[in-house]
Amino acid sequence: MAHVPLLLLLSMSILSVISGTLQTDDYIWHIKKVPLVVSKRTLSLENPKFSAEAIDELNGTCGIECQRSMPIPTLTDLEENFSYETMYENGTRTLTEVLVRGVDIQTEYELTTNTVHSRRKRQVYGLDSRFSISDKQFITKFPFNTAVRISTGCTGILVSPKHVLTAAHCIHDGNDYLKSAKKLRVGVMKLRTKRSNKKRKGKGKRSKRPKRDVDPKPSFQWTRVKHTQIPKGWFKGLTDNVGVDYDYAILELKRSQKQKHMELGISPPFKKMPSGRIHFSSFDDDRPGLIVYRFCSISDESSDLVYQYCDAQAGSSGSGMYIRLKEPGEKKWKRKIIGVFSGHQWVNVSGVQQDYNVGVRITPLKYAQICFWIRGNYADCQVG
């Protein structure tokens, strides 16, 4: 799509939200008590081999239609799938087994819609509706600066000064960690500082070159990852029709970031999202060095997944999907992350492989787990 002035683009997005409020007053972040995902014990594992290749597309995964034919998981199933693996920068790893408490399984896994909507296919649907954010006034400003680049080729989103949420398949293929995850790094978009005449070391003289007024340019500032955490459901899932539900991971950075992060939220049904839309920004491979923003409608959903119309390309997997809702009792609207863009996938539909753009929803259980990974304190993760 041709470049559109960003202020106009944001105005269009805000107007669509405002017009939605004329139809319903339910566009509110409802505060609810969430289940507990409590650590039971931690076991040491063998070091990973780092033998896996990067995944361009997931094939043969269990999509929404497949999920509707599956039984609701038991408490034992949940405790198995929400156990998680931690991989440290020195290559060691552990498995933490968990107990799940306070979960209403029927409510957690009740399908939020049984309506099958018409769905478009392919990664970019005809008219490319992505917007490149190239204006320096916006590229390092919230919410666009919450998008980060993962060194394996994906996108992630800052959910705390030291934590990044991304897709599990960006670092692990279900069997082993990617080769490129051995020295995992995260790139944050910054503006380069202006050049100035500095004293030469040891000579006490300034450079004779004339001072140039160089405009700051955006570039990545890279930092190492301290450790990663992935739910066990991702490991078993690629062969057991579960994995795509658990395609999320948290990366803890060695160095805190100064810019504003985006808070975590629990995904409401799409009928309770303004205009039924989600938003996300990413670093697409076909637009190097640019943040690419899009907003689009959801076409179908289950308790764990959404199919959506967002145009995407390689590099966008792992982006944080977010929406804007009102804070309870206030007129203020606030953005929160409600899912992870898993990417372009081939899913089983009545025994036939079909391709869709898929996102993983943050459910109350996933919120409880991710919140604990970020904060390390169950007391801070009781409501969401």
PDB file of all heavy atoms in Angstrom, residues 320-341:
ATOM      1  N   GLY A 320       3.124  -9.202  18.898  1.00  0.00           N
ATOM      2  CA  GLY A 320       2.080  -9.117  19.913  1.00  0.00           C
ATOM      3  C   GLY A 320       0.828  -8.480  19.339  1.00  0.00           C
ATOM      4  O   GLY A 320       0.856  -7.356  18.858  1.00  0.00           O
ATOM      5  N   MET A 321      -0.286  -9.200  19.356  1.00  0.00           N
ATOM      6  CA  MET A 321      -1.570  -8.665  18.896  1.00  0.00           C
ATOM      7  C   MET A 321      -2.209  -7.897  20.057  1.00  0.00           C
ATOM      8  O   MET A 321      -2.283  -8.401  21.174  1.00  0.00           O
ATOM      9  CB  MET A 321      -2.490  -9.795  18.445  1.00  0.00           C
ATOM     10  CG  MET A 321      -1.895 -10.694  17.374  1.00  0.00           C
ATOM     11  SD  MET A 321      -3.068 -11.925  16.698  1.00  0.00           S
ATOM     12  CE  MET A 321      -3.629 -12.742  18.179  1.00  0.00           C
ATOM     13  N   TYR A 322      -2.674  -6.678  19.775  1.00  0.00           N
ATOM     14  CA  TYR A 322      -3.243  -5.873  20.855  1.00  0.00           C
ATOM     15  C   TYR A 322      -4.525  -5.189  20.421  1.00  0.00           C
ATOM     16  O   TYR A 322      -4.838  -5.068  19.234  1.00  0.00           O
ATOM     17  CB  TYR A 322      -2.235  -4.847  21.366  1.00  0.00           C
ATOM     18  CG  TYR A 322      -1.796  -3.795  20.361  1.00  0.00           C
ATOM     19  CD1 TYR A 322      -2.512  -2.608  20.198  1.00  0.00           C
ATOM     20  CD2 TYR A 322      -0.652  -3.977  19.588  1.00  0.00           C
ATOM     21  CE1 TYR A 322      -2.100  -1.636  19.290  1.00  0.00           C
ATOM     22  CE2 TYR A 322      -0.233  -3.015  18.684  1.00  0.00           C
ATOM     23  CZ  TYR A 322      -0.964  -1.855  18.539  1.00  0.00           C
ATOM     24  OH  TYR A 322      -0.562  -0.895  17.638  1.00  0.00           O
ATOM     25  N   ILE A 323      -5.300  -4.745  21.415  1.00  0.00           N
ATOM     26  CA  ILE A 323      -6.527  -3.984  21.180  1.00  0.00           C
ATOM     27  C   ILE A 323      -6.569  -2.844  22.199  1.00  0.00           C
ATOM     28  O   ILE A 323      -5.783  -2.815  23.154  1.00  0.00           O
ATOM     29  CB  ILE A 323      -7.800  -4.854  21.314  1.00  0.00           C
ATOM     30  CG1 ILE A 323      -7.896  -5.458  22.726  1.00  0.00           C
ATOM     31  CG2 ILE A 323      -7.821  -5.949  20.254  1.00  0.00           C
ATOM     32  CD1 ILE A 323      -9.204  -6.202  22.979  1.00  0.00           C
ATOM     33  N   ARG A 324      -7.505  -1.902  21.990  1.00  0.00           N
ATOM     34  CA  ARG A 324      -7.714  -0.790  22.919  1.00  0.00           C
ATOM     35  C   ARG A 324      -9.112  -0.899  23.515  1.00  0.00           C
ATOM     36  O   ARG A 324     -10.096  -0.962  22.779  1.00  0.00           O
ATOM     37  CB  ARG A 324      -7.563   0.561  22.211  1.00  0.00           C
ATOM     38  CG  ARG A 324      -6.178   0.829  21.675  1.00  0.00           C
ATOM     39  CD  ARG A 324      -6.140   2.100  20.844  1.00  0.00           C
ATOM     40  NE  ARG A 324      -6.191   3.309  21.667  1.00  0.00           N
ATOM     41  CZ  ARG A 324      -7.184   4.188  21.677  1.00  0.00           C
ATOM     42  NH1 ARG A 324      -8.246   3.983  20.917  1.00  0.00           N
ATOM     43  NH2 ARG A 324      -7.124   5.261  22.419  1.00  0.00           N
ATOM     44  N   LEU A 325      -9.188  -0.949  24.840  1.00  0.00           N
ATOM     45  CA  LEU A 325     -10.459  -0.941  25.552  1.00  0.00           C
ATOM     46  C   LEU A 325     -10.386   0.092  26.666  1.00  0.00           C
ATOM     47  O   LEU A 325      -9.313   0.561  27.029  1.00  0.00           O
ATOM     48  CB  LEU A 325     -10.754  -2.323  26.148  1.00  0.00           C
ATOM     49  CG  LEU A 325     -10.951  -3.499  25.179  1.00  0.00           C
ATOM     50  CD1 LEU A 325     -11.192  -4.793  25.950  1.00  0.00           C
ATOM     51  CD2 LEU A 325     -12.096  -3.236  24.218  1.00  0.00           C
ATOM     52  N   LYS A 326     -11.555   0.420  27.220  1.00  0.00           N
ATOM     53  CA  LYS A 326     -11.609   1.404  28.297  1.00  0.00           C
ATOM     54  C   LYS A 326     -11.259   0.759  29.637  1.00  0.00           C
ATOM     55  O   LYS A 326     -11.610  -0.384  29.899  1.00  0.00           O
ATOM     56  CB  LYS A 326     -12.998   2.038  28.369  1.00  0.00           C
ATOM     57  CG  LYS A 326     -13.321   2.958  27.199  1.00  0.00           C
ATOM     58  CD  LYS A 326     -14.574   3.782  27.464  1.00  0.00           C
ATOM     59  CE  LYS A 326     -15.805   2.892  27.518  1.00  0.00           C
ATOM     60  NZ  LYS A 326     -17.044   3.716  27.630  1.00  0.00           N
ATOM     61  N   GLU A 327     -10.574   1.526  30.460  1.00  0.00           N
ATOM     62  CA  GLU A 327     -10.307   1.091  31.827  1.00  0.00           C
ATOM     63  C   GLU A 327     -11.617   1.142  32.615  1.00  0.00           C
ATOM     64  O   GLU A 327     -12.443   2.049  32.416  1.00  0.00           O
ATOM     65  CB  GLU A 327      -9.270   1.998  32.490  1.00  0.00           C
ATOM     66  CG  GLU A 327      -7.881   1.894  31.887  1.00  0.00           C
ATOM     67  CD  GLU A 327      -7.125   0.700  32.421  1.00  0.00           C
ATOM     68  OE1 GLU A 327      -7.612  -0.441  32.233  1.00  0.00           O
ATOM     69  OE2 GLU A 327      -6.056   0.893  32.997  1.00  0.00           O
ATOM     70  N   PRO A 328     -11.866   0.201  33.530  1.00  0.00           N
ATOM     71  CA  PRO A 328     -13.119   0.195  34.302  1.00  0.00           C
ATOM     72  C   PRO A 328     -13.337   1.501  35.062  1.00  0.00           C
ATOM     73  O   PRO A 328     -12.442   1.984  35.753  1.00  0.00           O
ATOM     74  CB  PRO A 328     -12.934  -0.981  35.271  1.00  0.00           C
ATOM     75  CG  PRO A 328     -11.921  -1.863  34.615  1.00  0.00           C
ATOM     76  CD  PRO A 328     -11.003  -0.941  33.865  1.00  0.00           C
ATOM     77  N   GLY A 329     -14.513   2.080  34.901  1.00  0.00           N
ATOM     78  CA  GLY A 329     -14.861   3.301  35.615  1.00  0.00           C
ATOM     79  C   GLY A 329     -14.187   4.548  35.107  1.00  0.00           C
ATOM     80  O   GLY A 329     -14.289   5.610  35.732  1.00  0.00           O
ATOM     81  N   GLU A 330     -13.487   4.463  33.974  1.00  0.00           N
ATOM     82  CA  GLU A 330     -12.794   5.618  33.425  1.00  0.00           C
ATOM     83  C   GLU A 330     -13.150   5.801  31.953  1.00  0.00           C
ATOM     84  O   GLU A 330     -13.691   4.905  31.304  1.00  0.00           O
ATOM     85  CB  GLU A 330     -11.273   5.440  33.557  1.00  0.00           C
ATOM     86  CG  GLU A 330     -10.788   5.300  34.988  1.00  0.00           C
ATOM     87  CD  GLU A 330      -9.278   5.146  35.062  1.00  0.00           C
ATOM     88  OE1 GLU A 330      -8.617   5.438  34.036  1.00  0.00           O
ATOM     89  OE2 GLU A 330      -8.777   4.740  36.117  1.00  0.00           O
ATOM     90  N   LYS A 331     -12.848   6.985  31.431  1.00  0.00           N
ATOM     91  CA  LYS A 331     -13.047   7.255  30.014  1.00  0.00           C
ATOM     92  C   LYS A 331     -11.783   6.955  29.206  1.00  0.00           C
ATOM     93  O   LYS A 331     -11.795   6.998  27.982  1.00  0.00           O
ATOM     94  CB  LYS A 331     -13.454   8.719  29.818  1.00  0.00           C
ATOM     95  CG  LYS A 331     -14.805   9.061  30.435  1.00  0.00           C
ATOM     96  CD  LYS A 331     -15.170  10.517  30.165  1.00  0.00           C
ATOM     97  CE  LYS A 331     -16.535  10.845  30.753  1.00  0.00           C
ATOM     98  NZ  LYS A 331     -16.917  12.267  30.505  1.00  0.00           N
ATOM     99  N   LYS A 332     -10.694   6.677  29.906  1.00  0.00           N
ATOM    100  CA  LYS A 332      -9.414   6.445  29.255  1.00  0.00           C
ATOM    101  C   LYS A 332      -9.377   5.088  28.573  1.00  0.00           C
ATOM    102  O   LYS A 332      -9.808   4.085  29.113  1.00  0.00           O
ATOM    103  CB  LYS A 332      -8.294   6.537  30.296  1.00  0.00           C
ATOM    104  CG  LYS A 332      -6.901   6.335  29.738  1.00  0.00           C
ATOM    105  CD  LYS A 332      -5.867   6.415  30.858  1.00  0.00           C
ATOM    106  CE  LYS A 332      -4.465   6.174  30.329  1.00  0.00           C
ATOM    107  NZ  LYS A 332      -3.456   6.223  31.425  1.00  0.00           N
ATOM    108  N   TRP A 333      -8.848   5.074  27.343  1.00  0.00           N
ATOM    109  CA  TRP A 333      -8.658   3.833  26.594  1.00  0.00           C
ATOM    110  C   TRP A 333      -7.212   3.381  26.757  1.00  0.00           C
ATOM    111  O   TRP A 333      -6.292   4.182  26.794  1.00  0.00           O
ATOM    112  CB  TRP A 333      -8.961   4.048  25.113  1.00  0.00           C
ATOM    113  CG  TRP A 333     -10.409   4.323  24.841  1.00  0.00           C
ATOM    114  CD1 TRP A 333     -11.090   5.474  25.112  1.00  0.00           C
ATOM    115  CD2 TRP A 333     -11.351   3.432  24.249  1.00  0.00           C
ATOM    116  NE1 TRP A 333     -12.399   5.362  24.730  1.00  0.00           N
ATOM    117  CE2 TRP A 333     -12.589   4.114  24.190  1.00  0.00           C
ATOM    118  CE3 TRP A 333     -11.275   2.124  23.755  1.00  0.00           C
ATOM    119  CZ2 TRP A 333     -13.744   3.538  23.662  1.00  0.00           C
ATOM    120  CZ3 TRP A 333     -12.413   1.544  23.221  1.00  0.00           C
ATOM    121  CH2 TRP A 333     -13.636   2.238  23.186  1.00  0.00           C
ATOM    122  N   LYS A 334      -7.021   2.069  26.848  1.00  0.00           N
ATOM    123  CA  LYS A 334      -5.687   1.530  27.078  1.00  0.00           C
ATOM    124  C   LYS A 334      -5.425   0.325  26.182  1.00  0.00           C
ATOM    125  O   LYS A 334      -6.290  -0.531  26.007  1.00  0.00           O
ATOM    126  CB  LYS A 334      -5.543   1.116  28.550  1.00  0.00           C
ATOM    127  CG  LYS A 334      -4.131   0.720  28.934  1.00  0.00           C
ATOM    128  CD  LYS A 334      -4.041   0.500  30.440  1.00  0.00           C
ATOM    129  CE  LYS A 334      -2.597   0.263  30.875  1.00  0.00           C
ATOM    130  NZ  LYS A 334      -2.498   0.128  32.345  1.00  0.00           N
ATOM    131  N   ARG A 335      -4.218   0.299  25.594  1.00  0.00           N
ATOM    132  CA  ARG A 335      -3.818  -0.845  24.780  1.00  0.00           C
ATOM    133  C   ARG A 335      -3.268  -1.945  25.676  1.00  0.00           C
ATOM    134  O   ARG A 335      -2.486  -1.688  26.580  1.00  0.00           O
ATOM    135  CB  ARG A 335      -2.745  -0.445  23.767  1.00  0.00           C
ATOM    136  CG  ARG A 335      -3.181   0.565  22.728  1.00  0.00           C
ATOM    137  CD  ARG A 335      -1.995   0.935  21.858  1.00  0.00           C
ATOM    138  NE  ARG A 335      -2.328   1.903  20.830  1.00  0.00           N
ATOM    139  CZ  ARG A 335      -2.316   3.225  21.018  1.00  0.00           C
ATOM    140  NH1 ARG A 335      -1.982   3.716  22.206  1.00  0.00           N
ATOM    141  NH2 ARG A 335      -2.634   4.035  20.019  1.00  0.00           N
ATOM    142  N   LYS A 336      -3.646  -3.195  25.362  1.00  0.00           N
ATOM    143  CA  LYS A 336      -3.059  -4.360  26.015  1.00  0.00           C
ATOM    144  C   LYS A 336      -2.881  -5.474  24.987  1.00  0.00           C
ATOM    145  O   LYS A 336      -3.630  -5.567  24.013  1.00  0.00           O
ATOM    146  CB  LYS A 336      -3.937  -4.855  27.172  1.00  0.00           C
ATOM    147  CG  LYS A 336      -3.972  -3.948  28.381  1.00  0.00           C
ATOM    148  CD  LYS A 336      -4.754  -4.589  29.519  1.00  0.00           C
ATOM    149  CE  LYS A 336      -4.823  -3.686  30.738  1.00  0.00           C
ATOM    150  NZ  LYS A 336      -5.568  -4.315  31.861  1.00  0.00           N
ATOM    151  N   ILE A 337      -1.893  -6.330  25.242  1.00  0.00           N
ATOM    152  CA  ILE A 337      -1.639  -7.467  24.364  1.00  0.00           C
ATOM    153  C   ILE A 337      -2.620  -8.581  24.698  1.00  0.00           C
ATOM    154  O   ILE A 337      -2.745  -8.979  25.862  1.00  0.00           O
ATOM    155  CB  ILE A 337      -0.203  -7.994  24.558  1.00  0.00           C
ATOM    156  CG1 ILE A 337       0.804  -6.862  24.349  1.00  0.00           C
ATOM    157  CG2 ILE A 337       0.091  -9.149  23.624  1.00  0.00           C
ATOM    158  CD1 ILE A 337       2.158  -7.160  24.935  1.00  0.00           C
ATOM    159  N   ILE A 338      -3.292  -9.102  23.675  1.00  0.00           N
ATOM    160  CA  ILE A 338      -4.274 -10.168  23.916  1.00  0.00           C
ATOM    161  C   ILE A 338      -3.938 -11.437  23.131  1.00  0.00           C
ATOM    162  O   ILE A 338      -4.736 -12.379  23.138  1.00  0.00           O
ATOM    163  CB  ILE A 338      -5.702  -9.679  23.597  1.00  0.00           C
ATOM    164  CG1 ILE A 338      -5.806  -9.046  22.196  1.00  0.00           C
ATOM    165  CG2 ILE A 338      -6.154  -8.659  24.641  1.00  0.00           C
ATOM    166  CD1 ILE A 338      -6.076 -10.002  21.079  1.00  0.00           C
ATOM    167  N   GLY A 339      -2.776 -11.465  22.480  1.00  0.00           N
ATOM    168  CA  GLY A 339      -2.416 -12.669  21.740  1.00  0.00           C
ATOM    169  C   GLY A 339      -1.069 -12.536  21.060  1.00  0.00           C
ATOM    170  O   GLY A 339      -0.445 -11.477  21.060  1.00  0.00           O
ATOM    171  N   VAL A 340      -0.623 -13.646  20.494  1.00  0.00           N
ATOM    172  CA  VAL A 340       0.640 -13.709  19.750  1.00  0.00           C
ATOM    173  C   VAL A 340       0.327 -14.147  18.327  1.00  0.00           C
ATOM    174  O   VAL A 340      -0.385 -15.136  18.119  1.00  0.00           O
ATOM    175  CB  VAL A 340       1.622 -14.705  20.396  1.00  0.00           C
ATOM    176  CG1 VAL A 340       2.911 -14.787  19.586  1.00  0.00           C
ATOM    177  CG2 VAL A 340       1.915 -14.316  21.836  1.00  0.00           C
ATOM    178  N   PHE A 341       0.846 -13.399  17.351  1.00  0.00           N
ATOM    179  CA  PHE A 341       0.657 -13.786  15.953  1.00  0.00           C
ATOM    180  C   PHE A 341       1.564 -14.972  15.652  1.00  0.00           C
ATOM    181  O   PHE A 341       2.786 -14.830  15.605  1.00  0.00           O
ATOM    182  CB  PHE A 341       0.966 -12.614  15.029  1.00  0.00           C
ATOM    183  CG  PHE A 341       0.802 -12.942  13.566  1.00  0.00           C
ATOM    184  CD1 PHE A 341      -0.350 -13.532  13.101  1.00  0.00           C
ATOM    185  CD2 PHE A 341       1.815 -12.679  12.660  1.00  0.00           C
ATOM    186  CE1 PHE A 341      -0.517 -13.846  11.754  1.00  0.00           C
ATOM    187  CE2 PHE A 341       1.678 -12.979  11.322  1.00  0.00           C
ATOM    188  CZ  PHE A 341       0.497 -13.567  10.869  1.00  0.00           C
TER     189      PHE A 341
END
